[in-house]
Amino acid sequence: MRVLLLEDDDALRGSIAAVLRSRGDAVDEAATLAEADERLYITDYDVAVLDRTVPGGDSAALARRARADGVTTPILFLTALDGIDQRVAGLDAGGDDYLAKPFAMAELLARLRSLGRRSASVQAPVLMLADLVVDPAQLTAQRGGRALTLTAKEMAILVYLLRNAGRVVSRTELIEHCWDEHADPRSNVVDVRMRLLRQKLGEPALVHTVRGAGYVAREQSGDDDAGAGAE
């Protein structure tokens, strides 16, 4: 998942971000309402985790404005404002879940998994290409009835490619959707991950390289570039 994390406590934000990244999530961090506002509108996130009281105001206002503008990103409020009235206000503003501080990291992760599954199921319950079947909600993949063991990053790449099957997806686009803001677009991180993913998918190839453009998920055809898998 790609996650927006708004938290003005540097230590807590760093701790949460580190745990999320350790499980394969891409995390964009924000310490102010203005930073979160900008990122929420320019990036397609799977989940947003928002502290309520941050420099610049109350993130409930951000959630209300985002919902009015058609932003559907699931929002989890993570805040010390734990009164019933505050919870109701957050949910009424457009929040999908509400977790009060102090909190257990295991519970936060469970709630994020739930929101991530909800987001994935809205887009497509099951993705299929030839004999490949991927369930984004359950984070499972099978090819020819055989379960595939994919890392979280490989799953994120595969899901994005399948949701755009038949369309060439650039490396930059993959980085924007499957990595966080710290990824270097000039590195070969996408090519390395893609090579490993294609090895796990096996033959015949379902993910192809389009030289100078990026990658495309499609069944093999007679006019495929002979060197498509070389990069």
Side-chain angles (χ1 to χ4, degrees), residues 2 169-179 185 190 213-214:
R2 185 157 189 181
V169 175
S170 69
R171 290 171 176 79
T172 299
E173 190 175 346
L174 279 172
I175 287 176
E176 288 176 349
H177 285 84
C178 302
W179 276 265
V190 174

Side-chain angles (χ1 to χ4, degrees), residues 33-34 36-38 40-41 56 58-71 75 93-94:
L33 195 64
D37 193 346
E38 178 182 8
L40 188 60
Y41 278 87
D58 186 343
S59 64
L62 169 59
R64 187 177 295 107
R65 186 164 61 253
R67 295 300 187 234
D69 290 340
V71 177
I75 294 174

Side-chain angles (χ1 to χ4, degrees), residues 99-172:
L99 182 59
K101 300 175 182 176
F103 63 94
M105 187 66 73
E107 182 178 5
L108 172 61
L109 295 179
R111 288 171 181 256
L112 289 179
R113 286 194 297 271
S114 176
L115 289 176
R117 288 194 298 269
R118 189 183 311 171
S119 177
S121 64
V122 168
Q123 296 186 56
V126 176
L127 300 168
M128 294 182 288
L129 180 63
D131 59 347
L132 175 65
V133 180
V134 177
D135 186 335
Q138 299 298 324
L139 297 178
T140 60
Q142 295 184 358
R143 182 157 195 197
R146 176 178 61 88
L148 302 177
T149 302
L150 304 180
T151 67
K153 191 65 68 183
E154 290 164 353
M155 178 65 74
I157 293 170
L158 182 58
V159 167
Y160 190 74
L161 287 172
L162 290 180
R163 284 183 176 147
N164 292 275
R167 180 177 73 83
V168 176
V169 175
S170 69
R171 290 171 176 79
T172 299

Side-chain angles (χ1 to χ4, degrees), residues 18-53:
V19 171
L20 293 178
R21 288 178 181 134
S22 72
R23 68 172 200 164
D25 294 327
V27 184
D28 289 348
E29 301 178 43
T32 69
L33 195 64
E35 291 175 348
D37 193 346
E38 178 182 8
R39 290 174 178 170
L40 188 60
Y41 278 87
I42 65 175
T43 303
D44 183 18
Y45 291 104
D46 295 295
V47 179
V49 180
L50 308 179
D51 188 7
R52 283 283 303 272
T53 306

